[in-house]
Amino acid sequence: MKPEANLTVAAIGEQGLLKILHQFCPSHLIGDDAAVINHRSDHSLVITTDVLVDGVHFSDGMAQPNVYTTSPEDVGWRAVAANLSDLAAMGATPFGITVGLSLPGTLPVSWVERLYQGLSSCLEQYQTVLWGGDVTRSSLLTISITAVGEVQPQQVIRRQDAKVGDVIFVTGDHGASRAGLELLLHPERQQELDTVSFQQLIKAHQRPQPRLDVPPILREILPEFRVGGMDSSDGLADAIIQIARSSGVGAKIDAEALPIPLAVRSWVSPEEARKWTLYGGEDFELVLTLPRHAAEQLQEKLGNSGKIIGEVSIEPEIKLSDSDLDLNQSFQHW
Amino acid sequence: MKPEANLTVAAIGEQGLLKILHQFCPSHLIGDDAAVINHRSDHSLVITTDVLVDGVHFSDGMAQPNVYTTSPEDVGWRAVAANLSDLAAMGATPFGITVGLSLPGTLPVSWVERLYQGLSSCLEQYQTVLWGGDVTRSSLLTISITAVGEVQPQQVIRRQDAKVGDVIFVTGDHGASRAGLELLLHPERQQELDTVSFQQLIKAHQRPQPRLDVPPILREILPEFRVGGMDSSDGLADAIIQIARSSGVGAKIDAEALPIPLAVRSWVSPEEARKWTLYGGEDFELVLTLPRHAAEQLQEKLGNSGKIIGEVSIEPEIKLSDSDLDLNQSFQHW
């Protein structure tokens, strides 16, 4: 028996495992939020799959079925939103999704119905359809969603396409979802906020809005489509780092321009606010690199919900204007 | 609290749950092996999702990682074959698949690699590609596969299209997969068979061959494409019943013509052989309804691997020629 026969998945970690599994995929399909498949000369298919596991991604576990921190409707909404965000991140228009559900027989039917109501609400809002899927019995509730969309081949947004001299533009604010989670985990902190701010942050966490509105605007203002980017589901800092690494460039971020939500800025310390904005994750906004004039037009079209936060640089470091730290280096320490 | 709030999934069963979940899908997408999405006037997308759960679908459970009855390569092959069979059942040509994998950290990396080797072998044999997917940590190994293909809108094979007067044609034999499972579960029975038969039956179970070769032949011999049908993954009897119910017709099956594999016929009792052939399942062959002349041509093109086993009748019963039993009624009792 070879020694590596006993090597476990835990021992090599997620990145180690992905490196092995990527060998089984054509290399041009790897490295973005979704795979782009050249289907016809006038359109490519874009496909993405996400797996959510009970107790890991959306609840306190089936062992205590009454203590879900997220309602089944919100689980459904967020699952669809995450997948549609992956499509938006590629510049694609969604068509539909399939759902692979494995569930314990002890699960209340009403929970499943409410899950599907949440899925459907999000699908409806984005004119997308549930195509079907599979349901099977299991001891552990697991939801696997595959979303399919399409994009014109020359209008794909990729991480590797950041160009030196382009600005870095983010849609919306960042950190609101993390702030909402804080309020759900520590309900007593609700009293530190006014009602409007409270509701806004909770909603940011429970009902994130994938930015499917952005690609059509980009196609309009930039017909030559010089755009790079991805979504910020794993955090704003992560998105900037991924884009810079994939494109072989660096980034200079203006610390004053960080998209910290007003409700967060006026609630927690500046350090906490910055941390949530850079590393909170699950805001499902887009982080884009594009020419300055286009970014300014995009900002205007979005009614100023979005801003330029820095620029793509030739030096490989990722610098915050008020810090000597390289974000790329410091990321591991958070 | 409404009384139904406590109703569990186990209480209403799979069919009850599906009935509820179907309300969330457009009705025209329901009822076949895969959903057909009208994408462009010259082609439709076909999409199908299957979820496999450790301990339910492919092993004795992670609790005893060394007693898998199916090798990881075979788990991978069978998972892909089942999905590609769903595409073949719709008359579609496959493009690619995504894999959503949730797995325990204790799983050996070599198991995952071997799973992907099995997936890839089957994909390669059918010129299909792994597009990517998602890997996440979980206490239970679960594999969710989504396969996408395409078909011309007028060349879709549907369950509801059986026409009175058409014959019922099955590709290949049925019952070999069930026989192979018997040999895996009871290795001592191997001595009851010659080596060639033994290997053939084991292979039928471990390496089923989805019938992607059949739709191109149908398009060639039946340009007007008068074909109904589905695959026989849940058994030959189930396929006949599903087709008849969906089409509002009946079927007369010639008991002498049942596609019992030679290796099974010469091994077990006639009753056991018939049972495996009708109800064994997982043969991943196609059960088609089409005009007799086309069926005869198809049989010839397939080198006689496939045969006419009966015809579509106006009376709603499903009759075996040598029995008074209605297969539709007796099915529940097996």
Side-chain angles (χ1 to χ4, degrees):
Chain A
M1 204 178 204
K2 288 185 293 180
E4 63 263 34
N6 288 319
L7 192 70
T8 64
V9 166
I12 63 166
E14 193 194 343
Q15 292 309 315
L17 184 62
L18 284 178
K19 215 168 153 183
I20 291 172
L21 300 187
H22 283 167
Q23 298 168 7
F24 297 95
C25 270
S27 58
H28 70 276
L29 297 180
I30 295 167
D32 280 299
D33 288 293
V36 179
I37 294 107
N38 297 323
H39 183 233
R40 292 282 193 276
S41 59
D42 66 339
H43 70 277
S44 297
L45 293 178
V46 182
I47 191 160
T48 179
T49 292
D50 264 334
V51 180
L52 301 176
V53 178
D54 186 30
V56 179
H57 299 99
F58 59 84
S59 84
D60 298 328
M62 276 308 298
Q64 297 163 282
N66 296 316
V67 291
Y68 282 95
T69 50
T70 313
S71 76
E73 289 89 344
D74 291 336
V75 172
W77 178 287
R78 284 167 53 88
V80 170
N83 277 278
L84 297 187
S85 180
D86 283 335
L87 296 184
M90 306 300 297
T93 306
F95 285 153
I97 69 163
T98 66
V99 179
L101 191 62
S102 50
L103 44 75
T106 52
L107 194 69
V109 173
S110 59
W111 197 97
V112 185
E113 276 188 282
R114 291 173 61 194
L115 171 74
Y116 274 71
Q117 278 155 8
L119 293 167
S120 295
S121 306
C122 190
L123 288 171
E124 256 172 51
Q125 175 151 340
Y126 296 97
Q127 288 100 53
T128 308
V129 173
L130 177 63
W131 281 337
D134 190 22
V135 179
T136 189
R137 202 67 72 79
S138 168
S139 58
L140 182 68
L141 179 58
T142 303
I143 307 167
S144 177
I145 295 192
T146 297
V148 181
E150 75 169 1
V151 64
Q152 285 190 35
Q154 65 279 22
Q155 294 175 338
V156 178
I157 302 173
R158 294 188 187 275
R159 299 180 189 184
Q160 67 191 31
D161 286 345
K163 308 266 190 287
V164 174
D166 283 354
V167 298
I168 299 169
F169 182 92
V170 295
T171 65
D173 287 334
H174 281 74
S177 176
R178 176 64 186 81
L181 178 63
E182 186 76 8
L183 291 166
L184 288 168
L185 294 173
H186 306 285
E188 71 281 4
R189 297 199 69 178
Q190 177 179 351
Q191 60 194 35
E192 300 170 15
L193 285 154
D194 63 88
T195 314
V196 172
S197 298
F198 171 77
Q199 287 172 345
Q200 183 203 326
L201 296 178
I202 293 285
K203 196 181 166 214
H205 184 75
Q206 293 179 334
R207 299 274 159 153
Q209 312 283 320
R211 299 311 301 260
L212 289 162
D213 55 323
V214 173
I217 301 175
L218 289 172
R219 293 194 285 268
E220 188 193 323
I221 62 182
L222 259 179
E224 76 278 22
F225 217 79
R226 175 177 159 164
V227 183
M230 62 181 287
D231 80 353
S232 60
S233 50
D234 291 330
L236 175 56
D238 174 73
I240 297 169
I241 293 167
Q242 299 290 344
I243 291 167
R245 280 186 192 163
S246 303
S247 303
V249 297
K252 289 181 188 162
I253 307 298
D254 178 3
E256 292 300 309
L258 284 178
I260 301 174
L262 199 60
V264 169
R265 198 185 286 273
S266 58
W267 175 29
V268 297
S269 71
E271 294 71 30
E272 191 80 347
R274 179 184 287 200
K275 193 171 146 185
W276 287 357
T277 295
L278 282 172
Y279 307 103
E282 305 211 327
D283 289 298
F284 299 109
E285 297 288 345
L286 299 182
V287 181
L288 303 168
T289 63
L290 67 179
R292 181 176 294 274
H293 72 91
E296 285 167 355
Q297 271 182 278
L298 176 58
Q299 183 172 15
E300 200 186 310
K301 295 261 183 194
L302 293 176
N304 286 317
S305 119
K307 65 204 295 199
I308 294 169
I309 61 162
E311 57 190 37
V312 179
S313 63
I314 196 162
E315 304 81 20
E317 296 87 9
I318 298 166
K319 293 279 190 191
L320 260 180
S321 57
D322 64 355
S323 160
D324 283 339
L325 269 182
D326 182 343
L327 215 55
N328 206 347
Q329 302 300 321
S330 62
F331 184 57
Q332 304 300 331
H333 302 297
W334 286 90
Chain B
M1 206 181 204
K2 290 185 292 178
E4 63 263 34
N6 288 320
L7 192 69
T8 64
V9 166
I12 63 168
E14 192 194 342
Q15 292 309 313
L17 184 62
L18 285 177
K19 216 167 150 180
I20 291 173
L21 300 186
H22 283 167
Q23 299 169 8
F24 296 94
C25 270
S27 57
H28 70 276
L29 297 180
I30 295 168
D32 279 298
D33 289 293
V36 179
I37 295 106
N38 297 323
H39 182 233
R40 292 283 192 278
S41 59
D42 66 339
H43 70 275
S44 297
L45 292 178
V46 181
I47 190 160
T48 179
T49 292
D50 265 333
V51 181
L52 301 177
V53 178
D54 187 29
V56 179
H57 298 100
F58 59 84
S59 85
D60 298 329
M62 274 310 297
Q64 298 162 280
N66 295 317
V67 292
Y68 283 94
T69 50
T70 313
S71 76
E73 289 89 345
D74 290 337
V75 171
W77 177 287
R78 284 166 54 87
V80 170
N83 277 279
L84 297 187
S85 180
D86 283 335
L87 296 184
M90 307 300 296
T93 306
F95 285 153
I97 70 164
T98 67
V99 178
L101 190 63
S102 49
L103 43 76
T106 52
L107 195 69
V109 172
S110 59
W111 197 97
V112 185
E113 277 189 281
R114 291 173 61 193
L115 171 75
Y116 274 70
Q117 277 154 7
L119 293 167
S120 294
S121 306
C122 190
L123 288 171
E124 256 172 50
Q125 175 151 341
Y126 296 97
Q127 289 100 53
T128 308
V129 173
L130 177 63
W131 282 336
D134 189 22
V135 178
T136 189
R137 202 67 72 81
S138 168
S139 58
L140 182 67
L141 178 58
T142 303
I143 307 167
S144 177
I145 294 192
T146 296
V148 180
E150 77 168 359
V151 64
Q152 285 190 35
Q154 66 280 18
Q155 294 176 338
V156 179
I157 302 173
R158 293 188 187 276
R159 299 181 189 185
Q160 66 192 29
D161 286 344
K163 308 266 189 289
V164 173
D166 281 355
V167 298
I168 300 169
F169 182 93
V170 296
T171 64
D173 286 335
H174 280 74
S177 175
R178 175 65 185 81
L181 177 64
E182 185 76 9
L183 292 166
L184 288 168
L185 293 173
H186 306 285
E188 70 280 6
R189 298 200 68 180
Q190 178 180 351
Q191 60 192 38
E192 299 170 16
L193 286 155
D194 62 87
T195 313
V196 172
S197 298
F198 170 78
Q199 287 172 344
Q200 181 202 331
L201 296 178
I202 293 285
K203 195 181 167 212
H205 184 74
Q206 293 180 334
R207 299 274 159 151
Q209 311 283 321
R211 300 309 301 260
L212 289 162
D213 56 323
V214 173
I217 301 175
L218 289 171
R219 293 194 286 269
E220 186 193 324
I221 62 181
L222 260 177
E224 75 279 22
F225 216 79
R226 175 177 159 164
V227 183
M230 64 182 285
D231 79 352
S232 60
S233 50
D234 291 331
L236 174 58
D238 174 74
I240 298 169
I241 293 167
Q242 300 290 343
I243 292 167
R245 280 187 190 160
S246 304
S247 304
V249 296
K252 289 180 188 162
I253 306 297
D254 178 3
E256 294 299 309
L258 283 178
I260 302 174
L262 199 60
V264 169
R265 199 186 286 272
S266 58
W267 175 29
V268 297
S269 71
E271 295 71 31
E272 191 80 348
R274 179 184 287 199
K275 193 173 147 184
W276 287 357
T277 295
L278 282 172
Y279 306 104
E282 306 210 327
D283 289 298
F284 300 109
E285 296 288 343
L286 299 182
V287 181
L288 303 168
T289 64
L290 67 177
R292 181 175 294 273
H293 71 90
E296 286 166 354
Q297 272 183 278
L298 176 58
Q299 184 172 13
E300 201 186 309
K301 294 259 185 196
L302 294 176
N304 286 315
S305 120
K307 65 205 293 202
I308 295 169
I309 61 162
E311 56 188 37
V312 179
S313 63
I314 195 160
E315 305 82 19
E317 297 86 10
I318 298 167
K319 293 281 193 192
L320 260 181
S321 58
D322 63 354
S323 160
D324 283 339
L325 270 181
D326 182 343
L327 214 57
N328 207 347
Q329 302 300 319
S330 61
F331 184 59
Q332 304 301 330
H333 301 298
W334 286 90

